[in-house]
Amino acid sequence: MKLLIPGPVTTRPEVRAAMARDFAPWDNDFRALNARVKQRLLATAHGDPSTHVALAIQGCGHFAIEAALRTFLPPGGQILVPVAGSYAERMVRLAREAGRVAIELPVPDGTHISPAAVAAALVANPGISHVGLVYSETSSGMIHDPVAIGEVVRAAGKRLILDAVSAFGALPIDVSAHPELDALVFTPNKCLEAMPGMAFAVTSIARLLQSAGNAGSWSLDLADIHAQNLRAGPGVFRFTPAAQVIASLDVALDLLDAEGGQPARLARYRANAAALHEGMEVIGLHPYLSRQAQGPIVLNVAAPNDPAWNLQAFVDGLKSRGFLISNFYNTATPSFRVGCIGAVDPDDMREFLAATDATLRDMKIRNRAPIRQAA
Ligand SMILES: *Cc1c(COP(=O)(O)O)cnc(C)c1O
């Protein structure tokens, strides 16, 4: 079975095999493994160990995003979030429920976040200390621009929290070029092609040291994790880690290196997305975004406007042909989404397109044109 969802992704057998053993998290061999994995992640982010550190936290991506918000914003602190999709909405909710003030900047559907609009919102709301940006908005498939947004954040003297969960490993990021960055957050189970269960933040050491006592949570405090690492060593956890996940990530990072690193991975994902985008048009379906706006992470395809259309039946038909896609909608008008990421290549995409065509025929879908939004 191939998972064509934007995470957790299809993994290679070597990655899964690395989990098939027991670990004592306090064992010195495991500590060395954990410290090495964090060093490799820091290097992937182009972080200089004298200014930046990679921290590991148990749980999924949301946990690390909440930890970053709690750590770098004091209670009542204000963050501007350009809302270009559901992951940005999630950051707003995480901030509010943690007692921080989230100010939403609406972004028109299908458009990129405008750096000028971010700059204007920062001028209009001088109490804002942070901007929260989703690099790859997994709901729409659009990629936003941390370089351009980071520049206006920096010019305004503000700080950046970057949700790179569906970006890191494939889309470029150089933390040393972003002095405005407090935290870059990501997980192993998307473009790094490893397992879910841990999350990571590459953070500024200076800002961590300034942020002690902000979090209002022991579990979700990056400053406390860093303080513990300084006291006990970089491989030591405060609480039981998902050790098997970390071991499998070490192997997944070997595979990333062998592939040619981030640029090569991005090239494969772009080829996957292009094969899918073109192939969907060939079989009469309509990608949600134009080819120009289409990012390399996830492709949304408009649901066909046919009375026989049923998303779950479609998903089940694909599953019987060896592919799993999401069984929920994530866009303003209904579209099914297909991940372009994971241990899959354009040949898998072509097999998937054939499976899609066959499933639609089985379902007796005659009209493959999109459902039009009511005016
Ligand atoms: C997957 C994802 C997350 C985190 O999801 P979890 O289920 O908490 O791991 C956060 N942001 C983006 C953009 C994502 O794609």
Side-chain angles (χ1 to χ4, degrees):
M1 186 68 63
K2 296 238 153 89
L3 302 188
L4 290 188
I5 54 178
V9 299
T10 303
T11 56
R12 297 253 297 251
E14 306 91 301
V15 173
R16 296 193 294 272
M19 299 187 69
R21 54 165 293 198
D22 300 315
F23 289 96
W26 320 118
D27 178 61
N28 284 335
D29 290 341
F30 177 73
R31 288 178 176 182
L33 167 68
N34 181 40
R36 177 171 75 243
V37 166
K38 289 193 294 175
Q39 273 319 116
R40 299 180 79 179
L41 294 171
L42 181 65
T44 305
H46 301 281
D48 175 340
S50 68
T51 55
H52 288 83
V53 66
L55 302 173
I57 188 164
Q58 296 87 342
C60 62
H62 285 82
F63 288 31
I65 295 165
E66 179 173 343
L69 292 166
R70 285 181 171 276
T71 302
F72 294 110
L73 275 86
Q78 298 179 29
I79 184 165
L80 178 74
V81 182
V83 178
S86 67
Y87 284 93
E89 283 166 5
R90 284 157 176 253
M91 192 189 287
V92 167
R93 178 166 175 184
L94 288 170
R96 288 186 180 152
E97 299 216 8
R100 275 64 176 169
V101 177
I103 296 163
E104 297 176 59
L105 176 66
V107 179
D109 209 27
T111 67
H112 287 105
I113 297 167
S114 149
V118 172
L122 292 176
V123 170
N125 302 276
I128 293 172
S129 61
H130 282 74
V131 172
L133 178 66
V134 179
Y135 190 169
S136 160
E137 181 43 83
T138 322
S139 58
S140 67
M142 280 189 75
I143 307 304
H144 298 285
D145 185 352
V147 173
I149 309 281
E151 198 175 307
V152 301
V153 173
R154 194 155 70 236
K158 311 293 183 185
R159 312 291 310 163
L160 183 67
I161 291 178
L162 186 60
D163 170 351
V165 177
S166 68
F168 191 76
L171 294 170
I173 184 75
D174 177 352
V175 296
S176 64
H178 288 279
E180 76 287 359
L181 185 79
D182 275 354
L184 164 77
V185 177
F186 56 91
T187 59
N189 54 286
K190 292 190 176 173
C191 305
L192 293 172
E193 301 186 358
M195 296 294 166
M198 292 297 303
F200 297 91
V202 169
T203 60
S204 147
I205 294 171
R207 290 283 299 142
L208 279 170
L209 298 177
Q210 290 165 5
S211 303
N214 276 349
S217 162
W218 184 20
S219 301
L220 300 178
D221 186 352
L222 297 177
D224 190 66
I225 293 173
H226 182 60
Q228 158 80 358
N229 286 171
L230 290 180
R231 269 197 311 276
V236 176
F237 271 95
R238 302 174 308 163
F239 315 128
T240 304
Q244 284 79 2
V245 172
I246 293 167
S248 70
L249 178 54
D250 196 35
V251 174
L253 291 170
D254 291 341
L255 295 173
L256 177 63
D257 287 347
E259 184 171 2
Q262 169 268 319
R265 183 145 301 178
L266 178 59
R268 175 162 56 86
Y269 290 174
R270 278 198 205 291
N272 288 347
L276 269 182
H277 201 283
E278 258 179 61
M280 288 293 173
E281 289 176 337
V282 168
I283 63 172
L285 289 166
H286 293 252
Y288 193 77
L289 293 177
S290 69
R291 209 170 290 198
Q292 274 158 300
Q294 178 62 53
I297 306 299
V298 57
L299 182 89
N300 283 287
V301 181
N305 189 11
D306 188 290
W309 171 256
N310 174 298
L311 178 62
Q312 187 63 56
F314 177 63
V315 171
D316 291 343
L318 289 172
K319 189 170 164 183
S320 72
R321 293 175 168 89
F323 293 99
L324 250 182
I325 67 161
S326 306
N327 62 353
F328 52 88
Y329 295 126
N330 225 334
T331 46
T333 49
S335 64
F336 64 87
R337 58 181 200 163
V338 188
C340 311
I341 62 177
V344 289
D345 61 25
D347 284 339
D348 296 304
M349 300 296 137
R350 285 184 271 276
E351 274 173 40
F352 173 74
L353 287 160
T356 300
D357 192 40
T359 302
L360 292 174
R361 282 175 204 284
D362 265 14
M363 290 172 71
K364 311 224 179 314
I365 304 278
R366 287 184 185 85
N367 182 17
R368 295 185 179 187
I371 296 170
R372 293 272 166 230
Q373 212 167 9

